[in-house]
Amino acid sequence: MKKETKGRREVTEMESGEFLERLKRDVIGHPALTHPFLTRFGDGDVTEEGVRTFAVQYYRHVRVSRLYLAALIANCADDEPLQLALAEILFDEYGHLNPDETHPALYRRFLLALGLAEEEWEAPETLPEIQLYVSAHRELSSSPDIRLGLGALGPASEWPVPPIYARLGEGIKRATDLTDSDIEIFNSHVTMDVEHARIMMEAIAPYAADEGGRRRVREGTMRSLDARSVMLDGLYRAVYGEPAPLSRPGTLQAGG
């Protein structure tokens, strides 16, 4: 009986692992990672004013992104190992409890380095596409079915962010005279989120042990990535003053 139970567990772990590998390929191939905004902005084809427009609007996402993790933790019920895994990531997001090193604080350093004052980054209205992204992630992370939130905050967030942030950082440095220290918020995610991805995938694996779980994790992942595509559409329109062209595959690869 013990051998039989162990065998079933090994099969389940293998199925979860295979599912996550397939899901990773789908994530890396999603249009959100090949979006024209990332191509054009990353090439430095943007004015300093365009960088400021991007910076102000993207802050509306950055300053609330930690709250999605907090909402997901609140939904974990009695799964203490999952709570701990999510709390470890949240601890990093909060700068290890140093108020000057939280991710919003690092981002505000970037805003200040661009010569923006607080009233300048707070006054403009939030783009509707970014508001849609925020609303979608509030809904996914607070859903009673935590598998949706795990998909949105795991595969859809931790895998894409390193290459996306590497591209954003490249574009900012090409278009401005900012230093690596000024754009630490982007550089730190390139390395940090690799470890976050490992933590999240181990935490998700038990929830992808059956077909129903895999379907819900994938749904949360794709809904999150679709919302990211919409957000990038809005950023393209705001920065370049025209609608985003259709995405072309292959403009951004995993790993930067």
Side-chain angles (χ1 to χ4, degrees):
M1 181 64 74
K2 287 185 178 178
K3 283 186 178 180
E4 189 175 327
T5 301
K6 181 180 179 182
R8 284 200 299 269
R9 185 169 63 247
E10 288 174 348
V11 169
T12 297
E13 290 173 354
M14 182 176 66
E15 290 175 347
S16 293
E18 290 174 352
F19 162 73
L20 290 171
E21 284 300 318
R22 291 196 304 271
L23 185 59
K24 186 172 186 178
R25 290 193 291 271
D26 290 342
V27 167
I28 297 305
H30 192 278
L33 276 79
T34 62
H35 197 281
F37 179 79
L38 298 172
T39 304
R40 189 170 177 180
F41 191 94
D43 287 344
D45 180 14
V46 59
T47 64
E48 287 198 24
E49 188 56 37
V51 173
R52 292 189 186 94
T53 297
F54 156 77
V56 168
Q57 288 296 329
Y58 201 68
Y59 179 54
R60 311 301 169 80
H61 151 61
V62 170
R63 68 183 176 186
V64 298
S65 60
R66 300 162 300 159
L67 304 181
Y68 311 144
L69 271 172
L72 190 56
I73 291 172
N75 277 339
C76 286
D78 299 324
D79 190 343
E80 191 167 325
L82 178 57
Q83 294 170 20
L84 288 170
L86 298 176
E88 183 176 354
I89 297 173
L90 197 58
F91 187 58
D92 287 340
E93 298 278 342
Y94 275 95
H96 298 177
L97 306 187
N98 181 342
D100 295 325
E101 298 296 325
T102 68
H103 286 190
L106 294 180
Y107 198 95
R108 287 190 290 271
R109 275 188 231 165
F110 163 57
L111 292 168
L112 291 169
L114 285 171
L116 292 163
E118 183 174 356
E119 57 269 21
E120 293 178 282
W121 73 64
E122 291 290 354
E125 289 188 15
T126 303
L127 293 173
E129 295 89 344
I130 291 181
Q131 189 56 57
L132 181 147
Y133 182 90
V134 171
S135 297
H137 284 76
R138 282 179 173 156
E139 178 182 344
L140 288 165
S141 61
S142 60
S143 170
D145 188 339
I146 64 171
R147 297 171 296 184
L148 293 175
L150 287 171
L153 303 185
S157 297
E158 303 300 351
W159 281 332
V161 164
I164 287 175
Y165 272 45
R167 198 72 174 125
L168 293 173
E170 289 168 5
I172 292 164
K173 290 195 72 173
R174 286 171 174 161
T176 69
D177 59 0
L178 267 58
T179 66
D180 283 336
S181 177
D182 295 329
I183 62 169
E184 183 182 354
I185 182 61
F186 298 99
N187 295 335
S188 63
H189 277 78
V190 174
T191 53
M192 183 184 297
D193 282 7
V194 173
E195 175 63 11
H196 287 179
R198 182 193 64 77
I199 295 169
M200 284 295 291
M201 295 320 117
E202 289 180 359
I204 288 170
Y207 290 88
D210 58 73
E211 186 57 37
R214 291 190 282 273
R215 185 168 58 251
R216 297 300 269 171
V217 169
R218 191 179 194 284
E219 178 186 343
T221 300
M222 293 302 138
R223 284 172 61 180
S224 172
L225 290 171
D226 290 346
R228 187 181 291 273
S229 289
V230 172
M231 176 169 66
L232 293 169
D233 284 345
L235 288 169
Y236 192 102
R237 176 175 54 80
V239 170
Y240 297 110
E242 61 189 36
L246 292 175
S247 300
R248 293 192 179 95
T251 55
L252 184 64
Q253 299 298 321

Coordinates of all heavy atoms in Angstrom, one line a residue, residues 68-83 86 139-155 200 203-204 206-208 213 216-221:
Y68 N -1.9 42.4 -4.1 CA -2.5 41.2 -4.7 C -2.0 40.0 -3.9 O -2.8 39.0 -3.6 CB -2.1 41.0 -6.1 CG -2.3 42.3 -7.0 CD1 -1.4 42.6 -8.0 CD2 -3.4 43.1 -6.8 CE1 -1.6 43.7 -8.8 CE2 -3.6 44.2 -7.6 CZ -2.7 44.5 -8.6 OH -2.9 45.6 -9.3
L69 N -0.7 39.9 -3.6 CA -0.1 38.8 -2.8 C -0.8 38.8 -1.4 O -1.1 37.7 -0.9 CB 1.4 39.0 -2.6 CG 2.3 38.4 -3.7 CD1 3.7 38.8 -3.5 CD2 2.2 36.9 -3.7
A70 N -1.0 39.9 -0.8 CA -1.6 40.0 0.5 C -3.0 39.4 0.5 O -3.4 38.6 1.4 CB -1.6 41.4 1.1
A71 N -3.8 39.7 -0.6 CA -5.1 39.2 -0.7 C -5.1 37.7 -0.9 O -6.0 37.0 -0.4 CB -5.8 39.9 -1.9
L72 N -4.1 37.2 -1.7 CA -4.0 35.8 -1.9 C -3.7 35.0 -0.6 O -4.3 34.0 -0.4 CB -3.0 35.5 -3.0 CG -2.9 34.1 -3.5 CD1 -4.3 33.6 -4.1 CD2 -1.8 34.0 -4.6
I73 N -2.8 35.6 0.2 CA -2.5 35.0 1.5 C -3.7 34.9 2.3 O -4.0 33.9 3.0 CB -1.4 35.8 2.2 CG1 -0.1 35.6 1.4 CG2 -1.2 35.3 3.6 CD1 1.0 36.5 2.0
A74 N -4.6 35.9 2.3 CA -5.8 35.9 3.1 C -6.7 34.8 2.7 O -7.6 34.4 3.5 CB -6.5 37.3 3.0
N75 N -6.6 34.3 1.5 CA -7.5 33.3 1.0 C -7.0 31.9 1.1 O -7.6 30.9 0.7 CB -7.8 33.5 -0.5 CG -8.9 34.5 -0.8 OD1 -9.7 34.8 0.1 ND2 -8.9 35.1 -1.9
C76 N -5.8 31.7 1.7 CA -5.1 30.4 1.8 C -5.7 29.5 2.8 O -5.2 28.3 2.9 CB -3.6 30.6 2.0 SG -2.8 31.2 0.5
A77 N -6.6 30.0 3.7 CA -7.2 29.1 4.7 C -6.2 28.4 5.5 O -5.4 29.1 6.2 CB -8.2 28.1 4.0
D78 N -6.2 27.1 5.5 CA -5.3 26.3 6.4 C -4.0 25.9 5.7 O -3.3 25.0 6.3 CB -6.1 25.1 6.9 CG -7.3 25.5 7.7 OD1 -7.2 26.5 8.4 OD2 -8.3 24.8 7.6
D79 N -3.7 26.3 4.5 CA -2.5 25.9 3.8 C -1.3 26.7 4.3 O -1.0 27.7 3.6 CB -2.7 26.0 2.3 CG -1.6 25.3 1.5 OD1 -0.5 25.1 2.1 OD2 -1.8 25.0 0.3
E80 N -0.8 26.4 5.4 CA 0.3 27.2 6.0 C 1.6 27.2 5.1 O 2.2 28.2 5.0 CB 0.7 26.7 7.4 CG 1.6 27.7 8.1 CD 1.6 27.4 9.6 OE1 0.6 27.0 10.2 OE2 2.7 27.6 10.2
P81 N 2.0 26.1 4.5 CA 3.1 26.1 3.6 C 3.0 27.1 2.4 O 3.9 27.8 2.1 CB 3.3 24.7 3.1 CG 2.6 23.8 4.2 CD 1.5 24.7 4.7
L82 N 1.8 27.2 1.9 CA 1.5 28.2 0.8 C 1.6 29.6 1.4 O 2.2 30.5 0.7 CB 0.2 27.9 0.2 CG -0.2 28.9 -0.9 CD1 0.8 28.9 -2.0 CD2 -1.6 28.5 -1.5
Q83 N 1.0 29.8 2.5 CA 1.1 31.1 3.2 C 2.6 31.5 3.4 O 2.9 32.7 3.1 CB 0.4 31.1 4.5 CG -1.1 30.9 4.5 CD -1.7 30.6 5.9 OE1 -1.1 30.9 6.9 NE2 -2.8 30.0 5.9
L86 N 4.2 32.5 0.0 CA 3.8 33.8 -0.5 C 4.3 34.9 0.4 O 4.7 36.0 -0.1 CB 2.3 33.9 -0.5 CG 1.6 32.9 -1.5 CD1 0.1 33.0 -1.3 CD2 2.0 33.1 -2.9
E139 N -9.4 41.2 -8.6 CA -10.4 40.2 -8.7 C -9.8 38.8 -8.6 O -10.3 37.9 -7.9 CB -11.2 40.3 -10.0 CG -12.3 39.2 -10.2 CD -13.0 39.4 -11.6 OE1 -12.9 40.5 -12.2 OE2 -13.6 38.4 -12.0
L140 N -8.7 38.6 -9.4 CA -8.1 37.2 -9.4 C -7.5 36.9 -8.1 O -7.6 35.7 -7.6 CB -7.0 37.2 -10.5 CG -7.5 37.2 -12.0 CD1 -6.4 37.6 -12.9 CD2 -8.1 35.9 -12.3
S141 N -6.8 37.8 -7.4 CA -6.1 37.5 -6.2 C -7.1 37.3 -5.0 O -6.7 36.7 -4.0 CB -5.1 38.6 -5.9 OG -5.7 39.9 -5.7
S142 N -8.3 37.9 -5.1 CA -9.3 37.8 -4.0 C -10.3 36.7 -4.3 O -11.3 36.5 -3.5 CB -9.9 39.1 -3.8 OG -10.6 39.6 -4.9
S143 N -10.2 36.0 -5.5 CA -11.2 35.0 -5.8 C -11.2 33.9 -4.7 O -10.1 33.5 -4.3 CB -10.9 34.4 -7.2 OG -11.6 33.2 -7.4
P144 N -12.3 33.3 -4.4 CA -12.4 32.2 -3.5 C -11.6 31.0 -4.0 O -11.1 30.2 -3.2 CB -13.9 31.9 -3.3 CG -14.5 33.2 -3.7 CD -13.7 33.8 -4.8
D145 N -11.5 30.9 -5.3 CA -10.7 29.8 -5.9 C -9.2 30.3 -6.0 O -8.9 31.0 -7.0 CB -11.2 29.4 -7.3 CG -10.6 28.2 -7.9 OD1 -9.5 27.9 -7.5 OD2 -11.2 27.6 -8.8
I146 N -8.4 29.9 -5.1 CA -7.0 30.5 -5.1 C -6.2 30.1 -6.2 O -5.1 30.7 -6.5 CB -6.3 30.2 -3.7 CG1 -6.1 28.7 -3.6 CG2 -7.0 30.8 -2.6 CD1 -5.2 28.3 -2.4
R147 N -6.6 29.1 -7.0 CA -5.9 28.6 -8.1 C -5.8 29.7 -9.2 O -4.8 29.8 -9.9 CB -6.5 27.3 -8.7 CG -6.4 26.1 -7.7 CD -7.2 24.9 -8.1 NE -8.6 25.2 -8.2 CZ -9.5 24.3 -8.5 NH1 -9.1 23.0 -8.7 NH2 -10.8 24.6 -8.6
L148 N -6.9 30.5 -9.3 CA -6.8 31.6 -10.2 C -5.8 32.6 -9.8 O -5.0 33.1 -10.7 CB -8.2 32.3 -10.3 CG -9.4 31.5 -10.9 CD1 -10.7 32.2 -10.7 CD2 -9.1 31.1 -12.3
G149 N -5.8 33.0 -8.6 CA -4.8 33.9 -8.1 C -3.3 33.4 -8.2 O -2.4 34.1 -8.5
L150 N -3.2 32.1 -8.0 CA -1.8 31.5 -8.1 C -1.4 31.6 -9.5 O -0.2 31.8 -9.8 CB -1.9 30.0 -7.6 CG -2.0 29.8 -6.1 CD1 -2.2 28.3 -5.8 CD2 -0.7 30.3 -5.4
G151 N -2.2 31.4 -10.5 CA -1.8 31.5 -11.9 C -1.5 32.9 -12.2 O -0.5 33.1 -12.9
A152 N -2.2 33.8 -11.7 CA -2.0 35.3 -12.1 C -0.7 35.8 -11.4 O 0.0 36.5 -12.1 CB -3.2 36.1 -11.6
L153 N -0.5 35.4 -10.2 CA 0.7 35.9 -9.5 C 1.9 35.1 -9.5 O 3.0 35.5 -9.1 CB 0.3 36.2 -8.0 CG -0.9 37.1 -7.8 CD1 -1.1 37.3 -6.3 CD2 -0.8 38.4 -8.5
G154 N 1.7 33.9 -10.1 CA 2.9 33.0 -10.2 C 3.4 33.0 -11.7 O 4.2 33.8 -12.1
P155 N 2.9 32.0 -12.5 CA 3.4 32.0 -13.9 C 3.3 33.3 -14.7 O 4.1 33.6 -15.4 CB 2.5 30.9 -14.5 CG 2.1 30.0 -13.3 CD 2.0 30.9 -12.2
M200 N 7.3 30.2 -6.2 CA 5.9 30.1 -6.7 C 5.6 28.8 -7.3 O 4.5 28.2 -7.1 CB 5.5 31.3 -7.6 CG 5.4 32.6 -6.9 SD 4.0 32.6 -5.7 CE 2.6 32.6 -6.8
A203 N 5.1 26.1 -4.9 CA 3.9 26.3 -4.1 C 2.6 25.9 -4.9 O 1.6 25.4 -4.4 CB 3.8 27.7 -3.7
I204 N 2.7 26.1 -6.3 CA 1.6 25.9 -7.1 C 1.4 24.4 -7.4 O 0.3 23.9 -7.6 CB 1.8 26.7 -8.4 CG1 1.5 28.2 -8.2 CG2 0.8 26.2 -9.5 CD1 1.9 29.1 -9.4
P206 N 1.2 21.5 -6.0 CA 0.1 20.6 -5.4 C -1.3 21.0 -6.0 O -2.2 20.2 -6.0 CB 0.2 20.9 -3.9 CG 1.6 21.4 -3.7 CD 1.9 22.2 -4.9
Y207 N -1.5 22.3 -6.4 CA -2.7 22.8 -6.9 C -2.9 22.4 -8.4 O -4.0 22.7 -8.9 CB -2.9 24.3 -6.6 CG -3.0 24.6 -5.2 CD1 -1.9 24.8 -4.4 CD2 -4.3 24.7 -4.6 CE1 -2.1 25.1 -3.0 CE2 -4.5 25.0 -3.3 CZ -3.3 25.2 -2.5 OH -3.5 25.4 -1.1
A208 N -1.9 21.9 -9.0 CA -2.0 21.5 -10.4 C -1.9 20.0 -10.5 O -1.4 19.5 -11.5 CB -0.8 22.2 -11.2
G213 N -7.5 21.4 -11.4 CA -6.6 22.4 -10.9 C -5.7 23.0 -12.0 O -5.5 24.2 -12.0
R216 N -7.7 25.6 -13.9 CA -7.9 26.9 -13.2 C -6.6 27.7 -13.1 O -6.6 29.0 -13.2 CB -8.5 26.6 -11.8 CG -9.8 26.0 -11.9 CD -10.9 26.8 -12.6 NE -11.6 27.7 -11.7 CZ -12.4 28.7 -12.0 NH1 -12.6 28.9 -13.3 NH2 -13.0 29.4 -11.1
V217 N -5.5 27.1 -12.8 CA -4.2 27.8 -12.8 C -3.9 28.4 -14.1 O -3.5 29.6 -14.2 CB -3.0 26.8 -12.4 CG1 -1.7 27.5 -12.6 CG2 -3.2 26.4 -10.9
R218 N -4.1 27.7 -15.2 CA -3.9 28.2 -16.5 C -4.8 29.4 -16.8 O -4.4 30.4 -17.4 CB -4.1 27.1 -17.6 CG -3.6 27.5 -19.0 CD -3.7 26.4 -20.0 NE -2.9 26.7 -21.2 CZ -3.3 27.6 -22.1 NH1 -4.4 28.3 -22.0 NH2 -2.5 27.9 -23.1
E219 N -6.1 29.2 -16.4 CA -7.0 30.3 -16.7 C -6.6 31.6 -16.0 O -6.6 32.7 -16.6 CB -8.4 29.9 -16.1 CG -9.5 31.0 -16.3 CD -10.8 30.7 -15.6 OE1 -11.0 29.5 -15.3 OE2 -11.6 31.7 -15.4
G220 N -6.1 31.5 -14.7 CA -5.6 32.7 -14.0 C -4.4 33.3 -14.7 O -4.3 34.5 -14.8
T221 N -3.5 32.4 -15.2 CA -2.3 32.8 -15.9 C -2.7 33.6 -17.1 O -2.2 34.7 -17.4 CB -1.5 31.6 -16.3 OG1 -1.1 30.9 -15.1 CG2 -0.2 32.1 -17.0

